[in-house]
PDB file of all heavy atoms in Angstrom:
ATOM      1  N   GLY A 281       5.869 -33.934  34.305  1.00  0.00           N
ATOM      2  CA  GLY A 281       6.730 -32.812  34.671  1.00  0.00           C
ATOM      3  C   GLY A 281       7.684 -33.199  35.777  1.00  0.00           C
ATOM      4  O   GLY A 281       8.819 -32.742  35.836  1.00  0.00           O
ATOM      5  N   ARG A 282       7.279 -34.112  36.696  1.00  0.00           N
ATOM      6  CA  ARG A 282       8.163 -34.524  37.786  1.00  0.00           C
ATOM      7  C   ARG A 282       9.307 -35.374  37.256  1.00  0.00           C
ATOM      8  O   ARG A 282      10.409 -35.366  37.778  1.00  0.00           O
ATOM      9  CB  ARG A 282       7.353 -35.288  38.834  1.00  0.00           C
ATOM     10  CG  ARG A 282       8.182 -35.747  40.010  1.00  0.00           C
ATOM     11  CD  ARG A 282       7.306 -36.285  41.096  1.00  0.00           C
ATOM     12  NE  ARG A 282       6.380 -35.277  41.570  1.00  0.00           N
ATOM     13  CZ  ARG A 282       5.448 -35.514  42.480  1.00  0.00           C
ATOM     14  NH1 ARG A 282       5.339 -36.716  43.011  1.00  0.00           N
ATOM     15  NH2 ARG A 282       4.637 -34.555  42.861  1.00  0.00           N
ATOM     16  N   THR A 283       9.041 -36.112  36.181  1.00  0.00           N
ATOM     17  CA  THR A 283      10.113 -36.938  35.619  1.00  0.00           C
ATOM     18  C   THR A 283      11.197 -36.078  35.004  1.00  0.00           C
ATOM     19  O   THR A 283      12.387 -36.377  35.104  1.00  0.00           O
ATOM     20  CB  THR A 283       9.515 -37.878  34.566  1.00  0.00           C
ATOM     21  OG1 THR A 283       8.490 -38.643  35.168  1.00  0.00           O
ATOM     22  CG2 THR A 283      10.580 -38.806  33.998  1.00  0.00           C
ATOM     23  N   LEU A 284      10.801 -34.985  34.342  1.00  0.00           N
ATOM     24  CA  LEU A 284      11.781 -34.133  33.681  1.00  0.00           C
ATOM     25  C   LEU A 284      12.450 -33.182  34.654  1.00  0.00           C
ATOM     26  O   LEU A 284      13.656 -32.961  34.599  1.00  0.00           O
ATOM     27  CB  LEU A 284      11.107 -33.338  32.562  1.00  0.00           C
ATOM     28  CG  LEU A 284      10.626 -34.140  31.343  1.00  0.00           C
ATOM     29  CD1 LEU A 284       9.924 -33.223  30.371  1.00  0.00           C
ATOM     30  CD2 LEU A 284      11.796 -34.834  30.662  1.00  0.00           C
ATOM     31  N   PHE A 285      11.658 -32.592  35.516  1.00  0.00           N
ATOM     32  CA  PHE A 285      12.160 -31.505  36.350  1.00  0.00           C
ATOM     33  C   PHE A 285      12.554 -31.953  37.754  1.00  0.00           C
ATOM     34  O   PHE A 285      13.040 -31.154  38.535  1.00  0.00           O
ATOM     35  CB  PHE A 285      11.101 -30.401  36.461  1.00  0.00           C
ATOM     36  CG  PHE A 285      10.814 -29.758  35.150  1.00  0.00           C
ATOM     37  CD1 PHE A 285       9.696 -30.109  34.425  1.00  0.00           C
ATOM     38  CD2 PHE A 285      11.650 -28.789  34.632  1.00  0.00           C
ATOM     39  CE1 PHE A 285       9.427 -29.503  33.209  1.00  0.00           C
ATOM     40  CE2 PHE A 285      11.393 -28.190  33.421  1.00  0.00           C
ATOM     41  CZ  PHE A 285      10.283 -28.556  32.709  1.00  0.00           C
ATOM     42  N   GLY A 286      12.344 -33.178  38.104  1.00  0.00           N
ATOM     43  CA  GLY A 286      12.719 -33.624  39.437  1.00  0.00           C
ATOM     44  C   GLY A 286      11.649 -33.269  40.437  1.00  0.00           C
ATOM     45  O   GLY A 286      10.663 -32.602  40.153  1.00  0.00           O
ATOM     46  N   PRO A 287      11.852 -33.705  41.689  1.00  0.00           N
ATOM     47  CA  PRO A 287      10.829 -33.444  42.709  1.00  0.00           C
ATOM     48  C   PRO A 287      10.735 -31.986  43.074  1.00  0.00           C
ATOM     49  O   PRO A 287       9.713 -31.554  43.549  1.00  0.00           O
ATOM     50  CB  PRO A 287      11.275 -34.299  43.892  1.00  0.00           C
ATOM     51  CG  PRO A 287      12.761 -34.474  43.694  1.00  0.00           C
ATOM     52  CD  PRO A 287      12.975 -34.524  42.228  1.00  0.00           C
ATOM     53  N   ASP A 288      11.787 -31.199  42.913  1.00  0.00           N
ATOM     54  CA  ASP A 288      11.755 -29.789  43.296  1.00  0.00           C
ATOM     55  C   ASP A 288      12.002 -28.970  42.048  1.00  0.00           C
ATOM     56  O   ASP A 288      13.133 -28.743  41.647  1.00  0.00           O
ATOM     57  CB  ASP A 288      12.830 -29.493  44.341  1.00  0.00           C
ATOM     58  CG  ASP A 288      12.662 -28.081  44.910  1.00  0.00           C
ATOM     59  OD1 ASP A 288      11.673 -27.429  44.539  1.00  0.00           O
ATOM     60  OD2 ASP A 288      13.521 -27.681  45.716  1.00  0.00           O
ATOM     61  N   ALA A 289      10.939 -28.545  41.384  1.00  0.00           N
ATOM     62  CA  ALA A 289      11.094 -27.797  40.139  1.00  0.00           C
ATOM     63  C   ALA A 289      11.547 -26.395  40.389  1.00  0.00           C
ATOM     64  O   ALA A 289      11.956 -25.696  39.476  1.00  0.00           O
ATOM     65  CB  ALA A 289       9.765 -27.788  39.367  1.00  0.00           C
ATOM     66  N   ALA A 290      11.460 -25.903  41.614  1.00  0.00           N
ATOM     67  CA  ALA A 290      11.849 -24.526  41.890  1.00  0.00           C
ATOM     68  C   ALA A 290      13.320 -24.376  42.156  1.00  0.00           C
ATOM     69  O   ALA A 290      13.833 -23.275  42.239  1.00  0.00           O
ATOM     70  CB  ALA A 290      11.052 -23.981  43.084  1.00  0.00           C
ATOM     71  N   ALA A 291      14.065 -25.484  42.379  1.00  0.00           N
ATOM     72  CA  ALA A 291      15.491 -25.390  42.679  1.00  0.00           C
ATOM     73  C   ALA A 291      16.239 -25.027  41.420  1.00  0.00           C
ATOM     74  O   ALA A 291      16.016 -25.598  40.363  1.00  0.00           O
ATOM     75  CB  ALA A 291      15.999 -26.730  43.225  1.00  0.00           C
ATOM     76  N   THR A 292      17.178 -24.084  41.510  1.00  0.00           N
ATOM     77  CA  THR A 292      17.898 -23.613  40.333  1.00  0.00           C
ATOM     78  C   THR A 292      18.865 -24.644  39.814  1.00  0.00           C
ATOM     79  O   THR A 292      19.129 -24.717  38.621  1.00  0.00           O
ATOM     80  CB  THR A 292      18.661 -22.330  40.685  1.00  0.00           C
ATOM     81  OG1 THR A 292      19.556 -22.609  41.772  1.00  0.00           O
ATOM     82  CG2 THR A 292      17.703 -21.233  41.101  1.00  0.00           C
ATOM     83  N   ALA A 293      19.460 -25.477  40.723  1.00  0.00           N
ATOM     84  CA  ALA A 293      20.435 -26.459  40.261  1.00  0.00           C
ATOM     85  C   ALA A 293      19.791 -27.582  39.483  1.00  0.00           C
ATOM     86  O   ALA A 293      20.432 -28.201  38.643  1.00  0.00           O
ATOM     87  CB  ALA A 293      21.208 -27.032  41.442  1.00  0.00           C
TER      88      ALA A 293
END
Side-chain angles (χ1 to χ4, degrees):
R282 180 171 300 176
T283 303
L284 291 177
F285 296 101
D288 189 5
T292 58

